[in-house]
Amino acid sequence: MGCAPSIHVSHSGVIYCRDSEESNSPHQTTTISQGTTTLHGLFVKTDAADSIPSVLAYQSRQPPPSAGPRRKERRESGGASARSRTPHCCSIEAETQTTSSSAKASTTEIQVGPMRLTQYPIQVLLVFAKEDNQSNGFWWACDRAGYRCHVAWTPESALECFLDKHQEIIVIDHRNSKYFDAEDICRSIRATEPSEHTVILAVVPRTPADQEETSVLPLLDAGFDRQFMENSSVTACYNELVQIEHGEVRSQFKLRACNAVFTALDHCQEAVEITNEDHVIQYVNPAFERMMGFCKGELIGKELTELPKSDKNSADLLDNINTFIKKGKEWQGVYYARRKSGDSIQQHVKITPVVGQGGQIRHFVSLKRLHCTNENNKQLYKSHREDKYTGDNSQSESGSYKCKNRRKDSVDVKPITSQSSDAPSLQTRRYSSMARIHSMTIEAPITKVINIINAAQENSPVTVAEALDRVLEILRTTELYSPQLGTKDEDPHTSDLVGGLMNDGLRRLPGNENVFSKNMNLSHTHLPVPNTINDVPPCIAQLLDNDESWDFNIFELEAVTNKRPLVYLGLKVFTRFGVSEFLNCSEATLRAWLQVIEANYHSSNSYHNSTHAADVLHATAFFLRKERVKGSLDHLDEVAALIAATIHDVDHPGRTNSFLCNAGSELAVLYNDTAVLESHHTALAFQLTTKDSKYNIFKNIDRNRYRTLRQAIIDMVLATEMTKHFEHVNKFVNSINKPMASEETSPHSEGSDAECTANIKNFPDNQTLIKRMMIKCADVANPCRPLELCIEWAGRISEEYFAQTDEEKRQGLPVVMPVFDRNTCSIPKSQISFIDYFITDMFDAWDAFAHLPVLMQHLANNYKHWKRLDDLKCKSLRLPSENNN
C-alpha cells in the first residue's frame, strides 16, 4: 500500500483528493484546533467542525479483497449513513492508486496525425447525494483504474469542483430526485465552456423485469452522454469508466488538441482557407481576412462560387483545378482573386485535398500568399490605407502582407520594354509561357523550379528575363545531365563513341532476325578445379600474392588459369572480405557459384569475358579497402559490391545495347530496348544462382537480408549502363563531393574522415551513390591501369567494336559507331575521346572522395601516350618501332 492522498473538503461540500508527496505514512494524523478536527490520513478544512458530517461520506476507506467483504466491513465500521453520524468526529482513510492491484497513475503518449500528445491521468467527479454502495463502487473503480477521484454532495459543490478541476468524466446520481435534480446539475455544467470536452454519465435505477426500459433521449437532451444502469459491482463500474476513457475521453482529448493547431493557424502569416467537399467555406484565418478584406462572419458557410471572381484567370482554370483536386491530388499555381474592395490580386495558391469520413475527400485546405508584383504592392498599400482610415483592425501598410521589392530602387519593367521594338513580343511570350506553366495540373519538383523562375522574371530587367527564358528552355529538355556535343564533323570519334555507348537503340530495320543465341554451355577447360583456396597451384598462388596491388597483372592470371581467372581471384577476394561468413555458405558452394558464373562469360569475346569481370572485381576490392569507402559502407554493401562486380557482364554477347535493339534481338524485345544487357546480366545471374542449391550462395540467409542484398546488387549492375553516366556522376559530385568540400574548407569545421563517413552512413541514398560510383569506376578503370595493361585493354575493346561494325555491315544494320572501322579507325583518337568525355571528370570526383593518387598518375601518363601517338598520326596501339621491339 502506498501513500494516502491528502483530501481537502471545501465549505461548499466537495472532497478534493490528490496524491500526497509529503507523507510516507498512509495513516498520518493531523490535529486541528477550532474549525478543524482530527482525522486519520486526512486534512479537512471547513468553517466549523460540526459541518463535517454533511459533506463527508467515506469511513474506514481501505480496499478489502473483494466487493462483498468490502461493503460488509464498511457497514460494520460506519454504521448509519453519513448524515446520521456523530457531528463532532469522523475517522477517514481515503486511498487512491495505492493497492497492489490498482493501476498506477501515469501519463500516456497518444498520436494524433503528426502530433504526439501526452495524456495525464483521468480525473473523475462523482456527484451523489449520499454515500451508498453505488458511490462506493465508482470510488473503488477509480482507485483500480488509477484515476483521480473527487466527490461532491451538492449541486453547488459539484459546479465549484468542476470549474476548478475540469474533470474528464462526471458521474451524476440520477436515481432519486429527493435530494437534487440530476438533469439540472448536468445542464448547469454543460452551460460552462470547459464541459465541451467532458463526458457526463447518468446513474439510473435498474428497470424491473416486468417494465419496459425508458428512453435515453431525455438524458441526451439534458446534456448527458451515457447512462449507467445501477450496479454497485466495482468491476462493472470499472469496466464502464475504462470504456469511457478509451472511447469518448480519448476522442475528446484529441479534439482538445486541435486548439493548439487553431492557435497556430490564427497566428501564421500565410492565408489559410478550409472548405468542405462542396467548396463551402468552413474556416479562414486572420491572415486570410487581412488579405481579402472580408471578415470571418461574411465568409463562413458561403460557397466559393458566391464570392466575387476575377476576370484575369483563364476560362478553364477553375475547371482544371477542380478536376485535379477531386482526384485527391495537390494543386499548386498562380491564381487571381478579387478582394472585397473589388481589386484583383495575384496569389500563389496550394490546394490540398484531405480525406475524412468514409474514406472520402471531405475538405480542401488552401494556402495562399501574395505573388509579389508592383501591381499587388500598390493594391495592398491602398487597401491597408482604406482599412486604416475606416477603423479596420487589420494590419497597416507596414503589415506582414505588404510585399516589398527586394531590389533597391528597381526600375519598372514597362519603361524598359518600351525602349526596344522587340521587347513587347518578348514580354508577351514570357507572360504566355508563364500562364501555361501556372495553369498546369502537374506538381513535380521541376514544376516548382519553373514556377519560381517565372515569378523571378516578373520584376527583372529584360536582359535577366531573356537569360531566364534560356534557362527555362534548358530545363524543359529531357537530357539535363548529358553534355551537348558539337556537330559531328568537329569530333567524329567522340560523337560515334558517345552515340554508341549512351543510346539504348537507334532506328530498327524491319525483317531483321535475332543475331545471337545464348551460349549457355561453353567448352570447359581441363584445368583441375581447386577444392579450397589453399589448393591453388603454386604458379597461380604466386601471382595472387600481389592481388592487393593496383598494378596487379590480370592478363598473367588469365594465361596461367587458361582464361579462367575469375574463379581463382574470386575465391581469394571473397575470402579476404568474409563473404562466405556473411552469406553463411560453405566455401564449396561459393566455389561452385564462381564456376557457374565464369562458365557463362564468353571467352570468344575479346573484351567482355571473364578476364574483364575479374579485372572489375579486383578494382572493386581495391576501392573497398580505401579508408573513406570502407568507413562509408556496411558489410552488406561490401558483399553486394563484390557480387555485382563478378556478375556485371555475365553472358555478354560482345555487342552493344544499340546493336541488339537495331537487330531486334530477343533480349531487346524482352527488356523493351531499355538497359537491355544490364537487365539481362542481373536476371541471368540470379536465375543461375537459385537454380541449384549446390551453388546457391543465398540459400542460408533470411528473406529480408536477401531482398536488401539483391536490390543493392541490381542497382549497382544497372548503374554500369552508360545512358545514365552523367546523371550518376553529377549526383555524386553534388551530394558527396561538394558537401565534403564545404566542410573541409569551413573555418569552423573540425570534422575528421571518420565523422564524415559516419554522416554518410546516416543517409542510405549517399551510400547508394558511392556504390554506383565505385562499380562504374571499376568497370572502366582501364585508362587508370599501368600503361601496358591500358594498351592491352584498348586493343581488346577496339577489336570488339571492329567486330560489331563488321557484323552490322554484313547484316545490313545501321552502323552504330562508324568510326570503329578496322581499316580507318585511329585507336589513339578513340582513347583520347573516351578519357576526355567519360573518364577524367568521373575519376576526379572519385579521387576527391577515395584518394587515389596512383590511379590519377597512371591516367595522366596514359593520356600522354595516346596524345603522343595522335600527334604523330599513328592510328595503332603503339609506334611501329615499339611494335618491332
Side-chain angles (χ1 to χ4, degrees):
M1 193 183 304
C3 299
S6 61
I7 300 180
H8 167 69
V9 184
S10 75
H11 66 277
S12 58
V14 60
I15 302 177
Y16 293 106
C17 305
R18 66 180 185 274
D19 293 337
S20 174
E21 297 177 354
E22 292 123 9
S23 170
N24 293 322
S25 170
H27 303 291
Q28 180 182 7
T29 302
T30 303
T31 303
I32 308 169
S33 58
Q34 185 170 351
T36 64
T37 188
T38 300
L39 302 174
H40 297 285
L42 178 69
F43 174 67
V44 180
K45 182 178 180 181
T46 181
D47 292 337
D50 57 0
S51 65
I52 293 174
S54 65
V55 296
L56 292 180
Y58 299 104
Q59 195 169 29
S60 300
R61 179 75 62 188
Q62 297 194 22
S66 64
R70 177 186 303 152
R71 287 193 294 269
K72 181 179 179 180
E73 179 181 338
R74 189 165 50 247
R75 284 194 299 269
E76 292 173 353
S77 61
S81 70
R83 292 188 179 277
S84 61
R85 291 191 187 108
T86 307
H88 62 274
C89 179
C90 186
S91 176
I92 298 178
E93 293 179 1
E95 301 185 54
T96 59
Q97 307 160 21
T98 56
T99 67
S100 59
S101 62
S102 297
K104 296 285 185 181
S106 60
T107 58
T108 305
E109 296 292 333
I110 296 176
Q111 196 78 19
V112 183
M115 289 182 68
R116 177 170 291 181
L117 308 175
T118 300
Q119 180 175 342
Y120 292 94
I122 303 297
Q123 296 187 93
V124 179
L125 173 61
L126 305 180
V127 184
F128 283 80
K130 61 178 181 176
E131 178 191 3
D132 59 7
N133 290 338
Q134 186 63 70
S135 63
N136 291 336
F138 274 111
W139 174 279
W140 291 117
C142 291
D143 171 62
R144 181 188 296 182
Y147 300 157
R148 293 177 179 169
C149 186
H150 309 90
V151 186
W153 305 125
T154 65
E156 296 79 10
S157 62
L159 186 58
E160 175 194 342
C161 181
F162 175 70
L163 293 175
D164 182 33
K165 298 296 181 182
H166 295 185
Q167 289 89 351
E168 288 81 13
I169 303 174
I170 300 177
V171 181
I172 302 178
D173 187 4
H174 196 281
R175 294 170 299 170
N176 195 329
S177 60
K178 177 180 177 181
Y179 302 108
F180 53 62
D181 190 324
E183 294 185 8
D184 283 346
I185 296 176
C186 183
R187 290 190 185 95
S188 65
I189 292 175
R190 284 294 183 207
T192 64
E193 186 177 350
S195 69
E196 178 185 3
H197 302 292
T198 297
V199 180
I200 304 181
L201 176 70
V203 179
V204 298
R206 185 174 297 277
T207 305
D210 58 343
Q211 293 184 14
E212 185 178 355
E213 189 170 323
T214 57
S215 171
V216 76
L217 289 178
L219 294 178
L220 298 178
D221 291 340
F224 288 100
D225 297 287
R226 298 167 68 101
Q227 75 170 9
F228 177 79
M229 198 72 68
E230 182 178 13
N231 187 341
S232 60
S233 165
V234 174
T235 300
C237 297
Y238 171 82
N239 290 340
E240 180 71 13
L241 293 177
V242 170
Q243 289 181 72
I244 293 174
E245 178 197 357
H246 288 270
E248 291 98 321
V249 171
R250 187 71 56 86
S251 299
Q252 291 293 340
F253 176 73
K254 294 178 180 180
L255 287 175
R256 193 178 303 181
C258 293
N259 292 334
V261 178
F262 282 116
T263 301
L265 290 173
D266 286 346
H267 291 85
C268 79
Q269 300 291 321
E270 216 164 18
V272 180
E273 172 192 71
I274 302 176
T275 67
N276 67 7
E277 67 269 32
D278 297 320
H279 303 296
V280 176
I281 299 175
Q282 298 174 311
Y283 170 85
V284 294
N285 68 340
F288 185 94
E289 296 178 88
R290 293 192 294 271
M291 176 187 283
M292 301 303 299
F294 291 95
C295 66
K296 190 175 297 186
E298 297 173 293
L299 297 172
I300 303 298
K302 283 193 174 182
E303 291 189 23
L304 293 179
T305 54
E306 299 179 44
L307 301 180
K309 298 287 186 301
S310 173
D311 54 4
K312 294 187 178 183
N313 295 307
S314 60
D316 59 347
L317 179 57
L318 284 176
D319 291 335
N320 288 340
I321 295 173
N322 195 43
T323 300
F324 204 68
I325 62 178
K326 285 290 186 182
K327 294 178 181 178
K329 299 181 179 179
E330 187 179 84
W331 182 89
Q332 180 171 314
V334 172
Y335 178 81
Y336 284 93
R338 190 179 296 279
R339 302 183 78 254
K340 184 178 181 180
S341 61
D343 299 327
S344 288
I345 56 174
Q346 196 176 13
Q347 302 170 325
H348 279 291
V349 180
K350 178 187 285 188
I351 305 175
T352 304
V354 179
V355 174
Q357 185 178 4
Q360 304 296 316
I361 296 173
R362 299 300 184 189
H363 308 278
F364 297 107
V365 178
S366 301
L367 305 180
K368 305 183 180 185
R369 58 182 175 84
L370 283 180
H371 184 60
C372 294
T373 63
N374 288 340
E375 183 181 359
N376 275 351
N377 286 342
K378 292 175 183 177
Q379 291 176 359
L380 201 60
Y381 173 78
K382 177 183 176 183
S383 67
H384 278 309
R385 285 176 60 87
E386 290 173 353
D387 291 342
K388 181 178 179 180
Y389 293 143
T390 57
D392 195 347
N393 292 328
S394 62
Q395 292 177 322
S396 66
E397 61 188 75
S398 61
S400 61
Y401 272 98
K402 181 182 177 184
C403 298
K404 298 180 180 179
N405 199 321
R406 295 182 180 180
R407 295 182 293 109
K408 185 177 181 182
D409 299 327
S410 63
V411 187
D412 194 8
V413 174
K414 291 183 179 178
I416 296 176
T417 57
S418 63
Q419 296 172 9
S420 169
S421 59
D422 295 334
S425 61
L426 170 65
Q427 290 295 98
T428 302
R429 183 163 56 86
R430 265 178 43 213
Y431 293 143
S432 174
S433 172
M434 183 176 65
R436 288 197 305 272
I437 293 293
H438 288 326
S439 63
M440 287 174 64
T441 56
I442 299 173
E443 186 52 26
I446 192 65
T447 310
K448 295 181 180 179
V449 171
I450 292 174
N451 283 341
I452 293 170
I453 293 173
N454 274 294
Q457 283 183 312
E458 282 294 316
N459 292 326
S460 300
V462 171
T463 53
V464 175
E466 289 174 338
L468 292 177
D469 270 330
R470 290 194 292 274
V471 170
L472 289 174
E473 289 174 6
I474 294 171
L475 290 178
R476 291 187 181 107
T477 65
T478 56
E479 296 298 328
L480 297 179
Y481 288 96
S482 299
Q484 298 294 316
L485 287 175
T487 62
K488 194 168 185 175
D489 295 335
E490 292 177 4
D491 187 357
H493 286 83
T494 301
S495 182
D496 283 356
L497 185 66
V498 173
L501 295 179
M502 296 196 62
N503 292 328
D504 264 339
L506 303 176
R507 64 185 180 87
R508 180 175 299 165
L509 300 182
N512 290 319
E513 300 299 325
N514 183 24
V515 178
F516 292 103
S517 60
K518 288 193 284 187
N519 182 6
M520 298 296 290
N521 297 306
L522 299 179
S523 58
H524 288 229
T525 66
H526 297 290
L527 189 73
V529 176
N531 292 321
T532 68
I533 194 64
N534 298 320
D535 297 329
V536 175
C539 59
I540 299 177
Q542 186 176 357
L543 279 175
L544 290 176
D545 286 341
N546 193 39
D547 76 302
E548 294 191 41
S549 168
W550 179 253
D551 295 344
F552 175 72
N553 193 325
I554 195 69
F555 299 115
E556 291 182 358
L557 183 64
E558 177 191 59
V560 299
T561 60
N562 200 7
K563 295 187 177 182
R564 293 183 59 193
L566 188 56
V567 170
Y568 292 93
L569 181 65
L571 283 172
K572 180 75 180 291
V573 170
F574 279 40
T575 299
R576 186 165 66 246
F577 282 89
V579 175
S580 293
E581 292 80 0
F582 180 86
L583 296 175
N584 192 25
C585 72
S586 66
E587 192 173 283
T589 302
L590 182 61
R591 184 182 66 252
W593 177 78
L594 285 168
Q595 288 177 297
V596 168
I597 296 300
E598 185 159 39
N600 282 275
Y601 275 94
H602 299 189
S603 59
S604 58
N605 292 341
S606 59
Y607 182 86
H608 288 100
N609 48 41
S610 67
T611 304
H612 168 66
D615 184 63
V616 175
L617 175 61
H618 173 266
T620 301
F622 181 85
F623 294 150
L624 285 172
R625 293 196 306 274
K626 290 299 170 181
E627 198 63 36
R628 273 188 180 166
V629 179
K630 186 193 307 182
S632 301
L633 302 179
D634 301 318
H635 195 191
L636 183 145
D637 298 316
E638 294 177 349
V639 173
L642 295 173
I643 295 175
T646 304
I647 70 167
H648 85 283
D649 272 333
V650 67
D651 196 38
H652 196 293
R655 300 293 184 263
T656 64
N657 280 331
S658 296
F659 179 94
L660 297 180
C661 294
N662 288 332
S665 72
E666 290 180 355
L667 291 180
V669 173
L670 177 63
Y671 295 110
N672 300 313
D673 293 352
T674 303
V676 176
L677 286 172
E678 292 73 23
S679 299
H680 174 60
H681 300 324
T682 51
L684 178 63
F686 279 100
Q687 287 172 4
L688 292 172
T689 303
T690 57
K691 187 165 66 172
D692 193 323
S693 63
K694 288 188 296 185
Y695 39 78
N696 185 356
I697 58 175
F698 305 126
K699 61 186 176 183
N700 293 328
I701 61 175
D702 65 73
R703 182 181 298 274
N704 289 336
R705 176 170 284 195
Y706 171 71
R707 290 300 296 268
T708 305
L709 187 67
R710 171 178 157 81
Q711 188 56 49
I713 294 168
I714 293 172
D715 184 83
M716 279 186 275
V717 175
L718 292 180
T720 63
E721 199 246 338
M722 293 301 288
T723 60
K724 298 292 182 67
H725 171 81
F726 294 101
E727 179 177 342
H728 294 317
V729 173
N730 278 283
K731 285 181 177 179
F732 182 85
V733 169
N734 291 321
S735 299
I736 305 294
N737 289 142
K738 289 183 178 179
M740 287 181 61
S742 299
E743 289 182 11
E744 290 171 358
T745 57
S746 172
H748 305 292
S749 176
E750 299 177 359
S752 62
D753 274 359
E755 291 175 347
C756 175
T757 54
N759 290 336
I760 291 174
K761 272 193 171 182
N762 292 331
F763 297 95
D765 287 347
N766 286 346
Q767 290 180 303
T768 299
L769 293 178
I770 292 171
K771 288 182 289 185
R772 289 175 182 172
M773 192 71 161
M774 177 171 61
I775 197 169
K776 281 181 62 62
C777 289
D779 189 29
V780 292
N782 311 147
C784 299
R785 293 290 187 180
L787 180 60
E788 287 306 311
L789 302 184
C790 172
I791 291 173
E792 177 64 23
W793 283 122
R796 291 189 176 204
I797 190 64
S798 298
E799 177 56 37
E800 200 165 284
Y801 288 161
F802 292 157
Q804 175 172 310
T805 300
D806 294 342
E807 183 74 17
E808 287 165 337
K809 290 178 179 180
R810 284 196 301 270
Q811 295 286 335
L813 299 174
V815 178
V816 174
M817 295 179 285
V819 74
F820 281 96
D821 186 313
R822 66 176 68 250
N823 299 315
T824 59
C825 179
S826 169
I827 294 177
K829 279 187 182 294
S830 68
Q831 288 298 306
I832 291 169
S833 297
F834 184 67
I835 292 172
D836 283 340
Y837 200 77
F838 292 106
I839 299 300
T840 302
D841 289 343
M842 181 170 71
F843 271 90
D844 279 342
W846 186 235
D847 172 55
F849 175 74
H851 186 58
L852 305 163
V854 175
L855 279 72
M856 302 310 291
Q857 186 59 54
H858 284 319
L859 179 60
N861 295 340
N862 296 338
Y863 189 82
K864 288 178 184 178
H865 169 77
W866 301 121
K867 200 70 175 169
R868 183 169 67 92
L869 293 181
D870 187 46
D871 292 342
L872 295 173
K873 309 299 181 184
C874 177
K875 295 184 177 182
S876 61
L877 296 169
R878 294 181 176 87
L879 291 172
S881 58
E882 295 174 348
N883 286 331
N884 294 333
N885 294 335

